[in-house]
Amino acid sequence: MSKRTVLTGITTTGTPHLGNYVGAIKPAIEASHGDGVRSCYFLADYHALIKCREPEVVHRSTLEIAATWLALGLDTDKALFYRQSDIPEITELTWLLTCVTAKGLMNRAHAYKAAVQENLDAGEDPDKAIDMGLFSYPVLMAADILMFNAHHVPVGRDQVQHLEMARDIAQRFNHLFGEHFVLPEAVVDDNVAVLPGLDGRKMSKSYNNTIPLWLPEKKLRKSIMKIVTNSLEPGQPKQTEDSALFAIYCAFADSGQRKAMRQAFADGIGWGDAKQQCFELINTELAPARETYEALISNPARIEERLREGAERARRITLPFMRELRKAVGIRPLV
Ligand code: TRP
């Protein structure tokens, strides 16, 4: 049996934080070391344009995210690692798919619907500030996935609907033009921790509660000291449930360390001590990769080269496949 393909994209609109690391990057890199799969990871810089109008942010984020994945040990001999915008076949396929995508399907996309609802609630025109990028976003995402005939797509729960749409679009194309596409499946891992942020809500750029992944040691410590706690004194027993600090600690701890921290909470460990232990644990895990990260970031040419190599390998797949697809829809030389 041929290898299953696992593919996922990372939108380049921000600085990687501990939540990205625990929830997506670390499990993906671990999975990529397995032999049974072909894995594809890409920097979704065209997706970034949908959310971000600041060229410097998109550019810097692309650099930081690429450096992060490389520093954390992504094996680019095994996994395909590329930048979406380096693969022109993806945008070409987006058009072929756009032509078979029902507008009604796009009308039902959560992100688009939420934007319309917000306008209506504010008494505005329903289309206010909604551009075609947001509306067509699921088609671009379908092209990302179908271009590589991915079987499995690890994503957060918020992306499951986009995978259903990708399947719908693939089915429609296959029905019209022949069996070209694998129908992809979303993989949502419920065992992967959703990390709380400094204020206890989900760690997310939009809540402004993140701990950036590559803070220098002192700043990392300072940031961890800011995790919200309550006013219980040292010596008073503390609850682990609903403790952001405990959850963050656990995301980095092995089972013995978790057990010990649970006991320390029951025994009334002071918040300062618990935070210090949390800092040490996280810092120990990140320190070696941090050095690599810093070396990479200060040498963008090396990263650029790795991405170009990735694109070249990716295009060995996408170029012939796109030729086949163009032919299938009737776009080919006249003689
Ligand atoms: N839309 C995804 C997100 O916001 C990122 C993404 C773009 C993606 N293309 C993809 C994920 C293809 C998986 C497969 O998280």
Side-chain angles (χ1 to χ4, degrees):
M1 203 178 77
S2 65
K3 281 190 185 182
R4 308 255 104 185
T5 296
V6 177
L7 172 145
T8 199
I10 312 104
T11 308
T12 56
T13 42
T15 292
H17 56 68
L18 291 188
N20 302 137
Y21 172 72
V22 167
I25 310 174
K26 193 176 169 184
I29 291 179
E30 276 167 12
S32 77
H33 291 298
D35 269 329
V37 293
R38 176 175 76 142
S39 30
C40 306
Y41 300 106
F42 69 96
L43 303 161
D45 52 353
Y46 279 138
H47 284 267
L49 301 186
I50 296 166
K51 303 182 191 165
C52 183
R53 300 279 164 73
E54 292 171 81
E56 276 317 310
V57 172
V58 174
H59 187 249
R60 175 76 196 174
S61 172
T62 305
L63 172 67
E64 289 181 355
I65 293 173
T68 296
W69 285 69
L70 295 173
L72 288 169
L74 179 71
D75 180 346
T76 52
D77 290 329
K78 268 195 182 157
L80 268 184
F81 186 56
Y82 53 93
R83 176 170 44 198
Q84 182 185 33
S85 60
D86 283 339
I87 319 290
E89 293 73 34
I90 293 175
T91 35
E92 217 177 321
L93 177 57
T94 301
W95 183 250
L96 300 196
L97 299 180
T98 298
C99 294
V100 301
T101 300
K103 174 170 176 285
L105 183 68
M106 297 298 97
N107 287 343
R108 292 195 285 278
H110 299 315
Y112 167 70
K113 268 172 67 175
V116 172
Q117 194 56 48
E118 216 172 281
N119 282 335
L120 292 174
D121 291 348
E124 301 281 0
D125 184 286
D127 289 334
K128 187 181 173 207
I130 297 180
D131 45 59
M132 288 304 294
L134 176 67
F135 188 68
S136 311
Y137 176 117
V139 189
L140 177 59
M141 184 155 159
D144 292 329
I145 296 166
L146 302 180
M147 190 81 249
F148 291 88
N149 269 328
H151 301 83
H152 299 298
V153 183
V155 282
R157 209 161 271 299
D158 60 318
Q159 298 291 318
V160 169
Q161 188 195 33
H162 293 146
L163 261 293
E164 283 160 11
M165 292 176 159
R167 287 172 69 89
D168 267 13
I169 296 169
Q171 255 164 335
R172 186 91 193 283
F173 191 97
N174 284 352
H175 175 73
L176 290 166
F177 301 113
E179 291 292 317
H180 296 280
F181 296 127
V182 165
L183 304 186
E185 271 171 54
V187 180
V188 180
D189 188 345
D190 287 319
N191 295 317
V192 166
V194 172
L195 207 69
L198 293 173
D199 60 0
R201 291 184 291 172
K202 176 187 172 187
M203 190 179 287
S204 161
K205 196 174 64 133
S206 39
Y207 293 147
N208 212 357
N209 65 356
T210 66
I211 303 176
L213 181 55
W214 302 118
L215 288 178
E217 200 165 303
K218 275 198 184 132
K219 289 198 171 156
L220 176 63
R221 186 171 178 281
K222 240 177 138 176
S223 184
I224 288 170
M225 291 295 160
K226 286 191 200 140
I227 298 170
V228 66
T229 53
N230 56 29
S231 56
L232 291 173
E233 298 287 337
Q236 293 184 282
K238 295 171 177 67
Q239 303 279 342
T240 52
E241 298 82 38
D242 299 329
S243 164
L245 179 60
F246 186 74
I248 295 173
Y249 182 87
C250 284
F252 289 83
D254 63 31
S255 61
Q257 289 166 322
R258 273 181 218 159
K259 221 173 130 197
M261 186 55 88
R262 186 176 290 283
Q263 189 59 47
F265 266 58
D267 294 344
I269 187 174
W271 288 125
D273 284 351
K275 286 176 174 177
Q276 178 63 28
Q277 286 191 33
C278 185
F279 158 70
E280 282 166 16
L281 185 68
I282 296 177
N283 191 53
T284 305
E285 177 159 335
L286 296 180
R290 188 192 294 136
E291 264 183 49
T292 315
Y293 175 82
E294 275 157 15
L296 279 165
I297 273 282
S298 56
N299 188 4
R302 179 74 194 109
I303 301 176
E304 185 63 33
E305 190 185 305
R306 300 275 291 270
L307 290 176
R308 277 175 201 247
E309 284 162 10
E312 208 174 289
R313 279 175 54 209
R315 293 193 77 199
R316 279 183 225 148
I317 299 168
T318 61
L319 265 169
F321 192 32
M322 197 60 221
R323 215 174 290 134
E324 172 190 323
L325 295 170
R326 287 167 65 115
K327 199 167 150 205
V329 299
I331 295 180
R332 58 192 155 91
L334 296 177
V335 287

